[in-house]
């Protein structure tokens, strides 16, 4: 269920998307840490990767494929996928999401 106070539930519904299909959206990070910095956001609200088992198995598989397709469609062959987990892991938005970083050999030192 969408959560009314969740930024990414709102951005999933209303945001400007690079692509959106099958319950997943990709959008550009507002504060990019690499030449290409996309966020993959599932429609399903799950607070954090710790709770990834809340996704039905097929949906979890589709989410991974959506991450890979997003990178492919952005023209990235080599890239980095990051999930920050919890405050101590650098998570600031508590709706599970995947960072896709690329566009330079060093990938711009994501922290
Ligand atoms: P986290 O730190 O939770 O792993 O990642 C949250 C990401 O969301 C950050 O990289 C931050 O720049 C991005 N972000 C925060 N607010 C917005 C927003 O309103 N729009 C977009 N496109 N990205 C956002
Ligand atoms: Zn949410």
């Amino acid at each position: 269920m969408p959560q009314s106070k969740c930024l990414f539930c709102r951005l999933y519904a209303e945001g400007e998307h690079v692509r959106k299909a099958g319950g997943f959206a990709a959008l550009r990070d507002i504060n990019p840490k690499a030449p290409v910095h996309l966020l993959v956001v599932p429609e399903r609200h799950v607070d954090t990767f710790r709770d990834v088992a809340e996704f039905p198995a097929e949906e979890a598989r589709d989410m991974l494929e959506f991450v890979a397709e997003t990178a492919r469609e952005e023209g990235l062959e080599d890239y980095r996928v990051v999930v920050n987990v919890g405050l101590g892991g650098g998570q600031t938005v508590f709706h599970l999401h995947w960072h896709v970083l690329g566009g330079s050999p060093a990938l711009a030192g994501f922290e």
Side-chain angles (χ1 to χ4, degrees):
M1 288 295 289
Q3 301 204 353
S4 57
K5 290 190 175 142
C6 173
L7 173 65
F8 282 1
C9 281
R10 190 160 53 77
L11 285 183
Y12 178 88
E14 301 170 2
E16 217 175 276
H17 304 120
V18 175
R19 57 194 298 259
K20 189 177 188 180
F24 307 101
L27 51 142
R28 295 198 190 280
D29 197 291
I30 204 170
N31 181 23
K33 307 281 197 312
V36 176
H37 186 169
L38 299 174
L39 301 170
V40 169
V41 175
E43 179 174 20
R44 182 185 296 277
H45 179 101
V46 170
D47 288 349
T48 170
F49 183 77
R50 248 184 252 122
D51 302 326
V52 71
E54 290 179 19
F55 286 86
E58 192 176 346
E59 204 173 307
R61 186 251 174 229
D62 290 349
M63 180 163 60
L64 292 176
E65 179 60 13
F66 189 90
V67 170
E69 278 172 6
T70 296
R72 198 179 306 131
E73 288 198 0
E74 193 68 14
L76 299 174
E77 186 177 349
D78 297 341
Y79 54 93
R80 195 163 166 193
V81 176
V82 172
V83 180
N84 297 323
V85 187
L87 283 175
Q91 186 176 3
T92 59
V93 178
F94 283 78
H95 176 133
L96 169 62
H97 55 280
W98 306 74
H99 296 260
V100 177
L101 297 135
S104 78
L107 304 179
F110 183 83
E111 291 176 351

